Amino acid sequence: MKISYNWLKQFLNIDWDSKQTAELLTDLGLEVEGVAPYETVKGALKGIVVGHVLTCDKHPNADRLKLTTVDIGQERILQIVCGANNVAKGQKVPVATIGTTLYSKEGEPFIIKKGKIRGEESQGMICAEDELGLGDSHEGIMVLSDSLKPGTPCAEVFELEKDEVFEIGLTPNRADAMSHYGVARDLKAGLKQQEIEIELITPSTSHFNITDRSLKLDVSVEDNALAPRYCGVTISNLIVQPSPNWLKDRLKAIGLSPINNIVDATNYVLHEMGQPLHAFDADRIFGKKVIVKTMPEGTKFMTLDGIERDLHVEDLMICDGEKPMCIAGVFGGINTGVTENTKSIFLESAYFDPISIRKTAKRHGLNTDASFRFERGIDIENVEFSLKRAALLIKEITGGDITSDIIDLYPNKKADFQVFLSFDKIFKLIGQEIPRDTIKSILASLEIKVKNVTETGMGLVIPSYRVDVQREVDVIEEILRVYGYNNIDFKEKLNASIAPISKYEDYNLQDKIGDFLASRGFYEIMTNSLTSPEYINLIDELKEEQSVVMLNPLSTELSAMRQSMLLNGLETISYNINRKNQNLRFFEFGKTYHGYKDERVENKHLSLLVTGNRNKTGWASPSKQTDFFFFKAVIENVLKRLGVPSYHSRPLEGTLFSEGLTLVSKKKKIVDFGVVNKSLAKNFDIKQEVLFADFNWDIIIDLVPKTEVKFKAIPKYPEVKRDFALLLDTNVSFKAIHDIAFQTERNLLTKVNLFDVYTGDKLPENKKSYAVSFTLQDDKKTLTDKQIDKIMSKLQQKYEKELGAELR
């Protein structure tokens, strides 16, 4: 939100610089994200001075140019070549001196330089109004008043305004600060806390009076719940024309384009007081009736932007006796808007139900200054005052007359909201005692009235414009932000307790796998859970009846919760490929959302996406395409890293993959992976092969074994290895050798390893040779040769007896 500092000073007579004011606003919770200078004319006419044309002769080398001498209040008289037809001796003109920067209408700068034009030296430029940015005319140079002194800066002649504009990052709850008056009101409270008493100047409406009652309209509201208060007045005999410069400057400073004096006046009051208004051409209101009501489903209505819209049955409309004229609180209609031919208007000021306005604005994809304020809740008690303020302003700048009484339909007056504030609660939340007199002073500066005071607390009445202050904690927050967060002391000692956390917690496992994937060249992505409802048509496995649709979506493209992690991932891949980043490895932890008949379900997933080459191309390593088996190895390593027990694979069916597998453990599907169907990838303009894996994270977490790692000391004594070359029958397995070994020696044998197998024509028929190593170790002492030989002898005898083995 943009706030003009000059405009703000209309309500507070403050002499602080913008930096100091910005710091206080930020401390008050109105965070100033930046301060930008504003000038009525770009460059502020720097280097442009009043010149007196002393001579004006025909250029000796050009028929259409003139050679002038100009006095600019310096000792040296300038010679300037000018091409304007209206330049003449004796005139006072604006002169751009050497080195001055001028700006074209498009804002492109050009610098005035000394040079020669058709052989004659030119030491400046006599300017037209469009060259100075003061208008659009280029018919000739500007001729100034004869009373001006040569050398006078033109910035002083045209009384240009310089301003500074605050860019405030307004939080959604601060509806009270969506105007210059609201910001000034907050600033006054902050200044008072710093013991600076400044009066808040409120625009006066005391001179509001009715010229006559010649234009009366019949106004009615059918549903007071949707329009709790509706005001209006007629203004006649007005002239639609461009606004005065002061009004244009105010609007331009905050980024608005002036339109005409009536529309500009309503916009001015909107940003001044925070109250949206709308002006209807009274001569185009059929039947002289204004009816606030809803219309039948599908009613056609064309808004000011020329788009025909289908109305919803819950859209609140402002209608005449025949047709809808305006989407209440959102956007006007094309048929009753103010034009250059408008002679009389009906000026509307109202309070509409915030929820109704928000739903209507979202349904039609509209976001206007009016809906922005109505959605958050305006001050219902400010409706009539703002109407008078706007009517007086329009009367002043259009020459019109107020030709009706103010119509004020406010059948159910909104009661004052009351809150009891406990002193103990203040200390409990803030952690520091604030003097009670200070609390009362802050509340008074915020216009929160103290109704009664007891030993334990205070009964308060909340002003109507503070729609966000509804609880005791809200009042405490208000006290704290004005008192100053920086004034709260911090203790040197910090107490904290450490809770035992299992390494099998979801987030710990996510970190573990995230680190693992990152070490293998994957990048983590985070995509939006909201997606397009049209995506369900791309995959047969997605069901429209399971789609969870937003009631108030940010846009139609983000109106449904995703049912699959794949489509958002393909969007990310497409985005990267379009920016020449084609070798990609992504992973994402996220959720999918499904609406069933009796419940809505969220499922956690880990998704992997791989496309492009496996490695970067280099002279020593030619590029190799990422393939299915590389991807399968990554997936198996993820499961191995998690310790998932045995699983098996089965073919994957469906339209999602052209080829793929499902991994199943304990009859539960844990991963689907494969090559994404080319026709699906084509919808995202992806032409290269994409591999996708979808881990069912909820099931995998349950399968991760909760085993504790056991540690033991490193043995002090050396291990000993001995080998046997055994001649065995071909039907004898290594498992039999392994099991017999450990049955024979349980205490000192630690490992049995098969390190060579030989079958060939040098061996007897149906025989094979196994080379087996045995590792022996005693934790308490070093083994002797006698012990080792005894064990090996026992093993040899067992193998000869039970397996018919022979030593080679």
Side-chain angles (χ1 to χ4, degrees):
M1 183 182 72
K2 295 183 185 297
I3 294 293
S4 158
Y5 199 17
N6 287 350
W7 199 341
L8 202 61
K9 289 177 180 178
Q10 291 181 196
F11 306 110
L12 291 174
N13 186 14
I14 183 173
D15 57 359
W16 282 13
D17 61 37
S18 60
K19 182 180 179 182
Q20 194 175 4
T21 303
E23 289 174 355
L24 179 55
L25 287 173
T26 299
D27 289 343
L28 288 167
L30 302 178
E31 183 182 0
V32 177
E33 298 174 341
V35 182
Y38 169 78
E39 299 166 338
T40 307
V41 174
K42 191 168 184 179
L45 301 184
K46 185 177 180 181
I48 314 292
V49 297
V50 175
H52 182 203
V53 181
L54 301 178
T55 63
C56 180
D57 301 316
K58 183 177 175 299
H59 192 292
N61 303 318
D63 293 337
R64 296 185 179 182
L65 298 178
K66 295 182 180 179
L67 192 62
T68 66
T69 55
V70 182
D71 176 14
I72 59 168
Q74 298 177 359
E75 292 183 4
R76 186 182 177 189
I77 303 300
L78 301 182
Q79 178 174 288
I80 299 176
V81 176
C82 181
N85 292 326
N86 65 329
V87 64
K89 178 182 176 181
Q91 291 175 336
K92 298 290 179 65
V93 294
V95 176
T97 56
I98 300 298
T100 297
T101 301
L102 296 179
Y103 297 87
S104 65
K105 192 172 183 181
E106 292 76 24
E108 291 296 326
F110 63 95
I111 300 173
I112 303 300
K113 300 178 180 178
K114 183 178 180 180
K116 287 188 176 182
I117 301 176
R118 291 292 183 93
E120 294 293 334
E121 191 174 79
S122 185
Q123 300 167 331
M125 176 177 172
I126 303 175
C127 302
E129 67 175 41
D130 66 328
E131 293 165 335
L132 298 177
L134 297 172
D136 298 322
S137 174
H138 194 71
E139 294 179 359
I141 60 165
M142 290 189 72
V143 180
L144 306 178
S145 170
D146 288 338
S147 61
L148 294 174
K149 183 180 178 181
T152 303
C154 283
E156 298 176 9
V157 174
F158 296 104
E159 298 180 351
L160 298 183
E161 180 173 297
K162 289 186 178 181
D163 198 356
E164 292 174 288
V165 179
F166 301 111
E167 183 67 47
I168 295 179
L170 195 66
T171 53
N173 64 307
R174 293 302 307 276
D176 63 295
M178 293 189 295
S179 65
H180 285 75
Y181 185 78
V183 173
R185 185 168 50 202
D186 233 34
L187 190 57
K188 177 181 180 292
L191 291 168
K192 185 176 181 180
Q193 179 60 23
Q194 298 191 16
E195 299 182 354
I196 301 174
E197 292 281 353
I198 297 180
E199 179 188 359
L200 180 64
I201 303 168
T202 304
S204 174
T205 60
S206 59
H207 55 294
F208 179 88
N209 60 79
I210 300 164
T211 307
D212 58 55
R213 294 174 174 81
S214 58
L215 182 57
K216 295 182 180 180
L217 300 182
D218 181 15
V219 181
S220 61
V221 176
E222 291 190 358
D223 190 342
N224 291 316
L226 297 179
R229 188 173 191 182
Y230 191 85
C231 295
V233 71
T234 62
I235 305 173
S236 303
N237 307 320
L238 45 78
I239 301 172
V240 179
Q241 58 188 0
S243 298
N245 288 333
W246 69 265
L247 179 51
K248 289 181 180 179
D249 291 341
R250 286 284 179 264
L251 297 180
K252 286 179 181 178
I254 58 172
L256 297 182
S257 299
I259 298 173
N260 59 53
N261 49 3
I262 296 176
V263 176
D264 293 349
T266 59
N267 283 333
Y268 180 85
V269 175
L270 165 69
H271 289 276
E272 178 186 55
M273 304 303 301
Q275 172 65 48
L277 302 111
H278 189 72
F280 300 89
D281 189 327
D283 294 330
R284 300 162 79 180
I285 299 177
F286 183 82
K288 300 303 178 186
K289 292 182 178 180
V290 175
I291 308 167
V292 184
K293 62 179 182 178
T294 55
M295 299 296 290
E297 182 78 27
T299 301
K300 303 292 184 183
F301 179 68
M302 185 173 289
T303 46
L304 281 169
D305 55 5
I307 297 175
E308 187 175 69
R309 305 176 188 273
D310 293 329
L311 299 180
H312 188 273
V313 68
E314 294 181 358
D315 292 339
L316 187 64
M317 303 296 295
I318 311 300
C319 308
D320 61 16
E322 176 181 66
K323 62 187 182 300
M325 302 188 295
C326 173
I327 303 177
V330 180
F331 210 18
I334 200 167
N335 294 320
T336 54
V338 173
T339 68
E340 64 274 10
N341 299 318
T342 297
K343 301 300 180 186
S344 57
I345 62 169
F346 172 69
L347 185 62
E348 165 199 276
S349 179
Y351 178 95
F352 298 117
D353 177 61
I355 296 174
S356 171
I357 298 301
R358 186 182 306 118
K359 288 182 176 180
T360 295
K362 297 301 180 186
R363 269 194 293 267
H364 295 288
L366 295 169
N367 183 22
T368 61
D369 283 338
S371 67
F372 179 81
R373 286 159 176 79
F374 279 126
E375 288 173 14
R376 288 155 177 77
I378 60 170
D379 181 8
I380 197 169
E381 301 301 331
N382 188 40
V383 171
E384 184 184 14
F385 176 85
S386 297
L387 179 66
K388 288 182 177 179
R389 168 69 173 145
L392 288 170
L393 182 58
I394 291 172
K395 179 181 178 182
E396 175 189 340
I397 62 178
T398 66
D401 300 316
I402 298 174
T403 51
S404 76
D405 291 309
I406 288 181
I407 300 157
D408 187 2
L409 304 181
Y410 190 16
N412 304 311
K413 184 171 174 59
K414 193 172 182 180
D416 292 332
F417 193 82
Q418 300 186 21
V419 171
F420 181 78
L421 178 63
S422 165
F423 294 127
D424 289 340
K425 186 74 170 180
I426 297 174
F427 174 74
K428 184 178 179 181
L429 287 183
I430 295 177
Q432 180 175 313
E433 288 282 357
I434 298 178
R436 295 188 180 184
D437 289 342
T438 302
I439 292 173
K440 292 177 183 178
S441 174
I442 291 173
L443 292 174
S445 69
L446 293 170
E447 300 181 8
I448 297 176
K449 298 177 182 177
V450 179
K451 189 176 182 181
N452 54 69
V453 181
T454 67
E455 286 297 319
T456 59
M458 295 182 288
L460 307 175
V461 178
I462 308 300
S464 57
Y465 59 81
R466 289 314 303 267
V467 294
D468 61 318
V469 180
Q470 301 289 299
R471 304 168 298 167
E472 184 181 24
V473 291
D474 297 331
V475 178
I476 295 172
E477 181 185 1
E478 290 299 295
I479 293 170
L480 182 55
R481 71 179 182 85
V482 176
Y483 181 75
Y485 291 98
N486 296 332
N487 294 324
I488 302 300
D489 296 329
F490 290 91
K491 296 179 180 178
E492 293 182 1
K493 183 179 179 182
L494 180 64
N495 297 324
S497 58
I498 301 175
I501 299 172
S502 169
K503 65 180 180 180
Y504 299 105
E505 291 286 345
D506 186 354
Y507 69 90
N508 280 330
L509 293 176
Q510 287 189 31
D511 287 345
K512 183 178 183 179
I513 296 304
D515 291 342
F516 170 76
L517 290 169
S519 70
R520 278 149 180 78
F522 282 77
Y523 289 90
E524 184 172 10
I525 61 173
M526 296 178 68
T527 60
N528 202 333
S529 298
L530 294 171
T531 187
S532 170
E534 301 299 324
Y535 279 174
I536 59 173
N537 300 320
L538 300 179
I539 305 175
D540 291 345
E541 287 84 345
L542 303 184
K543 306 297 182 184
E544 186 172 1
E545 60 270 17
Q546 294 181 12
S547 184
V548 179
V549 180
M550 305 297 290
L551 294 176
N552 56 338
L554 295 172
S555 67
T556 54
E557 291 78 18
L558 297 172
S559 60
M561 305 295 284
R562 65 184 173 197
Q563 292 187 48
S564 170
M565 300 285 288
L566 172 60
L567 300 175
N568 299 73
L570 291 177
E571 286 181 348
T572 307
I573 285 179
S574 176
Y575 182 89
N576 278 270
I577 289 175
N578 290 338
R579 286 154 182 79
K580 307 300 181 183
N581 190 13
Q582 296 175 326
N583 303 320
L584 305 167
R585 298 181 192 179
F586 293 143
F587 74 93
E588 178 179 14
F589 290 98
K591 293 181 179 181
T592 57
Y593 306 84
H594 310 269
Y596 299 108
K597 185 176 181 181
D598 300 324
E599 62 177 344
R600 288 176 178 158
V601 177
E602 298 180 11
N603 295 324
K604 291 182 181 177
H605 295 262
L606 163 63
S607 65
L608 305 184
L609 285 152
V610 174
T611 186
N613 293 332
R614 188 186 304 185
N615 57 287
K616 292 183 178 180
T617 303
W619 67 271
S621 56
S623 63
K624 187 175 182 181
Q625 187 75 19
T626 301
D627 56 23
F628 180 86
F629 297 102
F630 166 80
F631 195 51
K632 181 173 180 287
V634 172
I635 293 164
E636 290 177 341
N637 281 326
V638 168
L639 296 176
K640 182 179 179 181
R641 189 78 177 86
L642 288 167
V644 174
S646 60
Y647 50 85
H648 64 276
S649 63
R650 66 187 185 200
L652 185 61
E653 298 179 355
T655 60
L656 196 63
F657 300 101
S658 57
E659 53 182 303
L661 292 174
T662 294
L663 300 185
V664 179
S665 178
K666 296 183 179 181
K667 298 182 180 181
K668 295 180 179 179
K669 183 173 72 172
I670 56 175
V671 190
D672 289 340
F673 69 96
V675 179
V676 176
N677 198 307
K678 287 184 178 180
S679 61
L680 177 58
K682 189 177 179 181
N683 287 288
F684 296 87
D685 295 326
I686 300 173
K687 298 177 182 179
Q688 59 195 59
E689 185 178 83
V690 178
L691 295 151
F692 172 68
D694 185 12
F695 291 76
N696 192 326
W697 192 251
D698 290 316
I699 293 175
I700 288 175
I701 288 176
D702 293 337
L703 292 174
V704 173
K706 308 297 190 293
T707 56
E708 293 297 326
V709 176
K710 294 181 179 180
F711 298 90
K712 64 179 182 179
I714 297 174
K716 295 181 180 179
Y717 302 99
E719 62 182 19
V720 177
K721 285 188 179 182
R722 292 289 187 269
D723 299 337
F724 276 164
L726 299 173
L727 186 65
L728 301 161
D729 292 337
T730 54
N731 61 350
V732 176
S733 66
F734 171 70
K735 185 177 185 300
I737 297 172
H738 180 276
D739 292 345
I740 289 171
F742 280 100
Q743 290 169 8
T744 304
E745 179 54 54
R746 299 178 184 274
N747 298 323
L748 301 179
L749 183 64
T750 59
K751 284 185 286 187
V752 178
N753 182 45
L754 175 65
F755 64 88
D756 188 39
V757 178
Y758 175 71
T759 58
D761 54 4
K762 294 182 180 181
L763 297 179
E765 188 176 354
N766 296 324
K767 292 289 183 177
K768 62 183 177 182
S769 175
Y770 273 6
V772 183
S773 70
F774 302 87
T775 304
L776 304 170
Q777 188 174 38
D778 191 336
D779 293 338
K780 298 178 181 178
K781 62 182 180 179
T782 302
L783 291 173
T784 64
D785 289 340
K786 185 176 180 180
Q787 288 176 293
I788 297 167
D789 292 340
K790 184 179 179 181
I791 293 170
M792 298 307 294
S793 177
K794 286 167 60 179
L795 289 172
Q796 180 182 344
Q797 292 172 15
K798 278 284 187 179
Y799 289 142
E800 289 173 349
K801 181 179 179 180
E802 297 187 18
L803 301 178
E806 298 178 27
L807 285 181
R808 292 185 66 199

